[in-house]
Amino acid sequence: MKTTLSILTLLTPALLFANEADTLSVRNLDEVVVVSTPKEHATLREQALSSTSLGAGQIVLKGINNIKDLTAHVPGLFIPQYGSRLTSSIYLRGVGSRIGTPAVGMYVDDIPLANMSSMDQDLSDADRIDILRGPQGTLFGRNTIGGLIRVYTKNPMQYQGTDLMLGAASYNNTRARVTHYHRPSERFAFSAGVGYEHLGGFYKNYALDGKRVDRSDDIAARWRGIFIPSDKVRLDLSARYQWTKQGGYPYAAKQGTDAGHVAYNRESSYLRHLLTLGLNAEHDFGQVMMTSTTGFQFLKDDMFMDQDFSRQDLYSLQQKQKSKTLSEEIAVKSKGDGRWQWTSGVNFQYQWLNTQAPVTFYQEGVDWLSGMINRSLPDLTPQGMGPMSIALKNSILPMGGVFDTPTLNAGLFHQSSIEIVENLSVTAGLRLDYEHYKMVYDAPGSVDFDFAIRSARPQNSVALNGLHVAPAFLGKTSSHNWHVLPKVSLKYDFGETGNVYASVSRGYRSGGYNAQMFSDLLQVEMRREMMSAIDAGTEAYLTNLFAGNPYVPAGHVNMIMGRIRQNMPTIEKPDVAEEAYYKPETAWNYEIGSHLNLLDGRLKADLAAFWIETRDLQLSQMSESGMGRVTINADRSRSIGMEASLLAYLTDDFSVNTSYGYTRAKLRHTDCYVPFTPQHTLSLGAQYIWHTQGWLQHISLYMGGRANGRIYWTRENDLSQPFYALLDARLSVTHDNLELGLWGNNLTQTHYDAFSFVTRSQIFSQRGTPLQVGLDLRLKL
């Protein structure tokens, strides 16, 4: 880091005196980028919905490099920084998801991202980020029950040149990227870029000689080409690839000798290959515009986790995914400024997903599992016989399998906006969605064990050695659902002053199957088959023991076995379709709000209040054994809250902004708060720009605060993170095409938990990101 900072410092004087005709302008906080969307007729602030838009200047100013950095900058939005890039847990308005299907959708250049594992990706070329709050199911379909995040990259038709960025920060973090934008003709333009990021890691593993747990390396490459063969046709082709190699899961125990320290004996890791291809084809038919959006995404990743998070060598979880997703949407929308504007369309998406998710017990884990089994055994033996014991003989015991979970989704939608009278308009839309998901599972097991009944009287003892069972689940199951997703809104315009609106909408989040649950199901099936083997083995043993003994009455063996069986627990074979399946989550959203432009545009305000009724709420929790996370359907929930965003230009050079979100999301039947949903999100920021004479043209200072809390981590609300606040700052100097920025995050060194959970009756947590400072150099050639 010191070397990199020294190089940047030495380069600064020379670069500051560079004199290029093309300049890098200082951007205001309300920077506007005009984006054509396939389904909408108006800008976000002209629509009857709650939204936030961040331009390129804000993205740089607030240090947003991926979606997790959006936390608290958007009212009601919480995306905790924990785990690895596999984990993109997005919570908005009390609706969210830790694993499984997302509750908030994400698009990049109008191409949908298929699942949560692909959402945490490089956003260094983002020119605008839109966050739409509330269900967006009518136009965007499934998995937008909480809202939608849209990312738009720089358009090479409008922006040319070469952007270079170099950065270094404490904790041995370095970044570099270069992107070239070129327009060789009036009909064709393209951009191509590559970036590299190295994170040295914040947390040490004290069980592995202090090695950094969360270090990572990331390489991203992207290409975008826009071709306009005629005045009526526009083609936009994009390709993005990202390779990520991480450590991760720096979870520290809250109690014991290692309290506050990460200390586990097996190194955790995450490796991901992510490829996204997209094609947007627009055809202008005069009265209408038709858009075809085709997307393909390939994801291959491998996650390994020391699942007991301790120095003991108990068990680990390895999850490998291979996913291919093909999507197609055709939308047709009206053109012109008439009183009636409409959009109609159809969409199709098919995802192939193969998952391997074995939980592996090592020798200490096998011994621990043997102890669990023996402690759970009731006294099954009749009077006069000794206690029972079971000894597992496997040195390594894998439990899991291979799962194919393909998903088909198709939808048909229409939305119309009609101006009833001057300035008063109504919008009504309806979507019909069909979803079919299937699971083909192959989860085998193999267990060797000994069984004994110890007694002081040898004739009442039993010793069965070398028993073997092979619990397994092999089969398939499927389910399907239909969903009707309406939306109705009423809006009144005040002209340039803004508007007020009221809306009702419905959204849903897909159901599915829990692959990680199979380790638990295999344990149940293992116990069931072990009881069966013990029953048969004991009967054979006693029959052989008393064979030919004239002093043993007839039926004595049957009498003893009858007493044993009378006390033996009845274990049913698990029903995979019932145990692994979780239902779709649905929600109705009721909302009122306003977008205001006051004081000749110097004050902008966005206000909203909402009421959300959710049914079949999906919650993530540790499985009963603690060996993996599963999704369950909890009871209903109710989320009530408000959002406010203000942007004020006090002078031409001094601006302030603030956003606040309050969310009261509670489970209806238990009156507990919904986990992972902060009750308050708050951001405050101020920017001042000095315009100077000479080579140093602009100096900009930004100070900002972010705050969240209280956040409950468990369904029972017995573990939580209180309200906390972070202070950030950025000082930038600009000359023509060069910007040099010095920044700092969490300057108050606030201590907080980014994530916390309970497993095996122990509490673990990941500490939040500590104080960090860095230096960025941005140059346009």
Side-chain angles (χ1 to χ4, degrees):
M1 174 195 164
K2 290 180 179 178
T3 303
T4 308
L5 287 173
S6 300
I7 294 173
L8 290 175
T9 303
L10 290 172
L11 285 173
T12 300
L15 291 171
L16 285 175
F17 283 101
N19 184 18
E20 297 288 342
D22 195 7
T23 63
L24 178 67
S25 62
V26 176
R27 296 176 169 89
N28 289 324
L29 284 173
D30 68 336
E31 175 184 14
V32 175
V33 178
V34 179
V35 178
S36 174
T37 61
K39 291 176 275 194
E40 295 162 303
H41 295 85
T43 64
L44 284 180
R45 298 189 79 242
E46 295 173 330
Q47 297 181 42
L49 58 84
S50 178
S51 63
T52 299
S53 293
L54 302 174
Q58 296 180 68
I59 293 170
V60 172
L61 203 64
K62 298 180 178 181
I64 298 171
N65 299 308
N66 55 64
I67 60 168
K68 292 180 179 179
D69 295 327
L70 290 171
T71 292
H73 291 302
V74 176
L77 181 64
F78 178 61
I79 314 175
Q81 289 267 14
Y82 75 92
S84 68
R85 287 192 184 269
L86 171 70
T87 310
S88 297
S89 304
I90 308 176
Y91 294 84
L92 189 56
R93 287 188 169 182
V95 180
S97 171
R98 278 187 58 208
I99 62 173
T101 54
V104 178
M106 184 172 175
Y107 284 61
V108 177
D109 289 329
D110 293 320
I111 304 300
L113 302 187
N115 52 47
M116 293 173 60
S117 302
S118 63
M119 290 184 174
D120 187 2
Q121 57 177 269
D122 176 55
L123 299 181
S124 59
D125 59 340
D127 199 42
R128 183 182 180 91
I129 301 176
D130 295 338
I131 300 92
L132 287 62
R133 294 184 286 275
Q136 305 299 319
T138 305
L139 287 182
F140 297 94
R142 66 177 191 149
N143 301 336
T144 59
I145 187 173
L148 181 69
I149 298 174
R150 299 189 306 202
V151 179
Y152 295 99
T153 62
K154 292 178 180 177
N155 187 333
M157 278 288 180
Q158 303 169 354
Y159 184 90
Q160 285 84 48
T162 301
D163 288 350
L164 173 67
M165 196 284 287
L166 300 173
S170 53
Y171 293 94
N172 196 28
N173 293 358
T174 56
R175 298 177 62 209
R177 74 168 186 268
V178 59
T179 307
H180 180 66
Y181 303 85
H182 187 54
R183 186 175 180 177
S185 71
E186 292 297 316
R187 297 287 186 178
F188 177 67
F190 71 92
S191 63
V194 63
Y196 171 75
E197 181 177 26
H198 171 77
L199 302 179
F202 298 110
Y203 313 98
K204 296 180 179 180
N205 188 340
Y206 287 82
L208 292 176
D209 299 325
K211 190 174 183 179
R212 294 286 178 179
V213 180
D214 54 327
R215 66 197 182 284
S216 72
D217 290 283
D218 193 279
I219 298 174
R222 48 201 171 270
W223 184 89
R224 184 182 179 188
I226 298 177
F227 178 48
I228 306 177
S230 71
D231 294 338
K232 300 291 185 180
V233 179
R234 181 180 182 272
L235 303 177
D236 188 343
L237 178 64
S238 60
R240 304 174 69 89
Y241 171 76
Q242 188 168 10
W243 174 87
T244 301
K245 183 179 181 181
Q246 291 182 280
Y249 317 103
Y251 304 145
K254 288 281 194 177
Q255 313 101 337
T257 56
D258 284 318
H261 296 302
V262 179
Y264 46 78
N265 63 294
R266 290 183 180 266
E267 187 174 359
S268 298
S269 62
Y270 180 63
L271 177 65
R272 185 182 73 177
H273 300 270
L274 177 63
L275 173 67
T276 304
L277 304 175
L279 173 62
N280 289 303
E282 292 182 0
H283 195 293
D284 188 345
F285 288 96
Q287 297 298 317
V288 299
M289 176 74 74
M290 185 178 76
T291 305
S292 170
T293 304
T294 306
F296 175 78
Q297 189 170 76
F298 173 77
L299 169 72
K300 181 180 179 182
D301 66 3
D302 185 352
M303 181 268 290
F304 180 85
M305 184 188 298
D306 188 334
Q307 189 74 2
D308 57 83
F309 312 114
S310 69
R311 295 177 185 268
Q312 293 178 279
D313 198 18
L314 298 181
Y315 52 88
S316 66
L317 169 66
Q318 184 168 22
Q319 176 179 288
K320 294 182 178 181
Q321 294 184 117
K322 186 180 290 185
S323 170
K324 292 175 288 185
T325 304
L326 178 65
S327 63
E328 172 64 33
E329 180 174 88
I330 297 176
V332 181
K333 70 177 183 179
S334 60
K335 292 180 60 182
D337 300 323
R339 297 170 66 95
W340 177 34
Q341 306 236 343
W342 56 267
T343 301
S344 295
V346 295
N347 83 293
F348 164 86
Q349 185 178 85
Y350 192 84
Q351 181 181 60
W352 299 264
L353 176 60
N354 176 269
T355 305
Q356 301 178 41
V359 174
T360 302
F361 293 86
Y362 304 101
Q363 186 62 65
E364 288 184 61
V366 171
D367 296 340
W368 172 75
L369 190 58
S370 295
M372 279 184 53
I373 294 173
N374 282 298
R375 285 190 297 272
S376 66
L377 284 175
D379 185 8
L380 306 180
T381 55
Q383 187 177 4
M385 302 182 72
M388 291 176 140
S389 66
I390 293 176
L392 302 181
K393 307 305 290 184
N394 303 66
S395 58
I396 295 180
L397 180 59
M399 288 189 177
V402 180
F403 311 93
D404 288 306
T405 51
T407 302
L408 168 67
N409 174 251
L412 176 67
F413 62 90
H414 175 83
Q415 180 171 293
S416 287
S417 296
I418 302 173
E419 187 177 14
I420 304 173
V421 295
E422 187 177 1
N423 297 331
L424 180 63
S425 62
V426 62
T427 298
L430 186 68
R431 185 187 191 97
L432 179 64
D433 245 29
Y434 172 76
E435 190 169 44
H436 183 275
Y437 27 87
K438 181 172 70 173
M439 179 172 65
V440 180
Y441 51 90
D442 182 4
S446 180
V447 183
D448 298 310
F449 67 101
D450 295 338
F451 171 75
I453 300 177
R454 305 298 180 191
S455 177
R457 301 173 64 184
Q459 63 271 27
N460 289 341
S461 297
V462 176
L464 303 178
N465 297 321
L467 296 179
H468 175 80
V469 294
F473 293 95
L474 179 63
K476 61 182 178 180
T477 183
S478 65
S479 183
H480 69 274
N481 301 101
W482 290 90
H483 296 276
V484 178
L485 306 174
K487 175 183 179 180
V488 179
S489 64
L490 193 66
K491 184 186 69 166
Y492 186 83
D493 282 305
F494 300 109
E496 294 182 358
T497 304
N499 56 65
V500 294
Y501 68 88
S503 69
V504 179
S505 58
R506 186 175 189 265
Y508 83 99
R509 177 185 169 200
S510 301
Y513 296 97
N514 287 302
Q516 289 190 14
M517 181 174 280
F518 274 80
S519 60
D520 281 18
L521 299 183
L522 279 170
Q523 289 184 61
V524 174
E525 181 64 4
M526 179 185 73
R527 291 190 179 96
R528 191 183 73 86
E529 293 199 6
M530 288 173 70
M531 291 296 104
S532 178
I534 288 170
D535 182 282
T538 302
E539 184 173 10
Y541 180 89
L542 293 175
T543 300
N544 182 66
L545 178 66
F546 297 127
N549 190 333
Y551 299 102
V552 177
H556 183 67
V557 172
N558 290 336
M559 180 191 68
I560 295 175
M561 291 303 300
R563 293 177 181 176
I564 293 176
R565 288 167 181 157
Q566 184 178 4
N567 295 327
M568 187 172 291
T570 300
I571 304 176
E572 300 291 339
K573 185 178 179 68
D575 185 336
V576 171
E578 180 180 347
E579 296 289 340
Y581 174 68
Y582 55 92
K583 295 184 290 185
E585 174 185 329
T586 59
W588 282 96
N589 179 80
Y590 308 90
E591 180 178 330
I592 58 174
S594 178
H595 305 288
L596 300 174
N597 304 305
L598 306 173
L599 303 177
D600 295 327
R602 286 188 172 273
L603 176 62
K604 296 188 176 183
D606 296 299
L607 309 170
F610 60 87
W611 181 306
I612 302 176
E613 294 286 342
T614 304
R615 186 172 182 176
D616 295 319
L617 177 71
Q618 295 177 14
L619 289 180
S620 172
Q621 66 180 30
M622 297 298 293
S623 62
E624 292 185 6
S625 65
M627 301 162 198
R629 295 183 178 90
V630 296
T631 299
I632 64 167
N633 290 109
D635 57 13
R636 300 184 181 188
S637 71
R638 174 176 292 166
S639 181
I640 302 173
M642 60 82 64
E643 300 152 350
S645 297
L646 299 174
L647 172 62
Y649 294 96
L650 304 182
T651 69
D652 291 340
D653 301 320
F654 183 41
S655 60
V656 295
N657 67 94
T658 181
S659 67
Y660 171 70
Y662 169 73
T663 303
R664 185 180 182 271
K666 303 192 76 172
L667 302 173
R668 295 290 302 277
H669 295 144
T670 64
D671 203 40
C672 291
Y673 289 93
V674 175
F676 289 87
T677 299
Q679 296 179 22
H680 306 274
T681 59
L682 174 68
S683 70
L684 297 168
Q687 182 188 27
Y688 192 87
I689 302 175
W690 290 270
H691 301 279
T692 62
Q693 299 293 327
W695 52 267
L696 223 165
Q697 297 170 336
H698 304 286
I699 301 175
S700 170
L701 176 63
Y702 172 79
M703 298 288 291
R706 299 171 285 138
N708 295 285
R710 175 178 295 263
I711 307 167
Y712 292 95
W713 302 118
T714 61
R715 182 178 179 180
E716 297 77 19
N717 288 180
D718 53 1
L719 186 63
S720 66
Q721 166 61 50
F723 184 85
Y724 65 93
L726 310 175
L727 177 64
D728 305 329
R730 181 181 180 89
L731 177 65
S732 301
V733 294
T734 305
H735 173 77
D736 285 348
N737 57 349
L738 173 72
E739 178 184 350
L740 185 67
L742 176 65
W743 56 266
N745 291 335
N746 192 6
L747 296 176
T748 54
Q749 188 69 308
T750 300
H751 296 283
Y752 65 99
D753 285 340
F755 174 55
S756 191
F757 61 97
V758 180
T759 180
R760 295 186 297 114
S761 301
Q762 298 184 54
I763 302 174
F764 292 87
S765 69
Q766 177 175 326
R767 300 294 291 175
T769 304
L771 184 152
Q772 189 178 24
V773 295
L775 184 67
D776 290 341
L777 185 147
R778 300 171 186 271
L779 177 65
K780 181 179 179 181
L781 303 174

